[in-house]
Amino acid sequence: MPTWAKVSAGLALAIALLGFAGLKATSMKSGPLVQAHGTTYYGGDGPKAPPVPCKSESEIRSAIARVHAKYDFYGGARLKAFEQRATLKKGLPPLRVDTLYVITEDDQMRDGEMVLFIGLASNCVSTVFSFPAQLYRELATGPGDGV
């Protein structure tokens, strides 16, 4: 077999295999991206979270009373001002809540190092997270707040 025929056959085989691999790669759905800090899912492919029952503001207030908590309440203009300070000082995203309770002290808090945020949207708890108390104090102090 002449050399040019061997080269041609090798090139044809390589092109066919590359085409097949490319077709297979484009036809397969991309899987989740696994990173050091967690897994990122695209297009809603992640695990389905069970629906969380709505906890109303009255339930939150009664829970706060049960643990003898001291809290700060943010709503309306005061909440907007708090969110703006958080964005300007620390680059935090907006909370997208109507009211915000910040539990600063209760029977369960340890050494006052953390505060608990409970955000309600449409009279239903939409977000709960905690922050270091020192960071909260830095964000809470603003003109007209007196927190």
Side-chain angles (χ1 to χ4, degrees):
M1 183 178 229
T3 307
W4 65 268
K6 291 180 185 178
V7 171
S8 299
L11 283 173
L13 181 61
I15 290 172
L17 288 175
L18 285 174
F20 179 75
L23 178 66
K24 185 172 177 164
T26 58
S27 66
M28 287 182 57
K29 191 173 187 179
S30 296
L33 176 62
V34 179
Q35 302 172 34
H37 56 274
T39 303
T40 303
Y41 295 94
Y42 297 99
D45 290 339
K48 303 297 181 212
V52 178
C54 177
K55 298 288 184 188
S56 67
E57 189 167 0
S58 61
E59 291 176 279
I60 296 303
R61 283 185 174 264
S62 66
I64 288 171
R66 276 195 306 268
V67 295
H68 309 288
K70 293 181 182 177
Y71 64 93
D72 295 332
F73 175 78
Y74 293 92
R78 190 166 182 234
L79 176 61
K80 286 192 181 294
F82 178 79
E83 284 183 321
Q84 287 175 348
R85 280 192 307 277
T87 300
L88 290 174
K89 288 184 176 181
K90 298 296 177 184
L92 300 174
L95 296 173
R96 295 186 181 91
V97 296
D98 302 325
T99 55
L100 179 67
Y101 288 90
V102 181
I103 312 300
T104 56
E105 192 177 315
D106 70 16
D107 293 342
Q108 306 297 317
M109 299 298 267
R110 289 154 185 75
D111 301 329
E113 293 179 9
M114 298 295 284
V115 294
L116 178 67
F117 287 77
I118 302 171
L120 291 101
S122 303
N123 196 32
C124 189
V125 172
S126 65
T127 185
V128 177
F129 60 95
S130 63
F131 255 21
Q134 181 178 357
L135 177 61
Y136 170 66
R137 284 189 294 274
E138 182 180 327
L139 296 175
T141 56
D145 270 345
V147 177

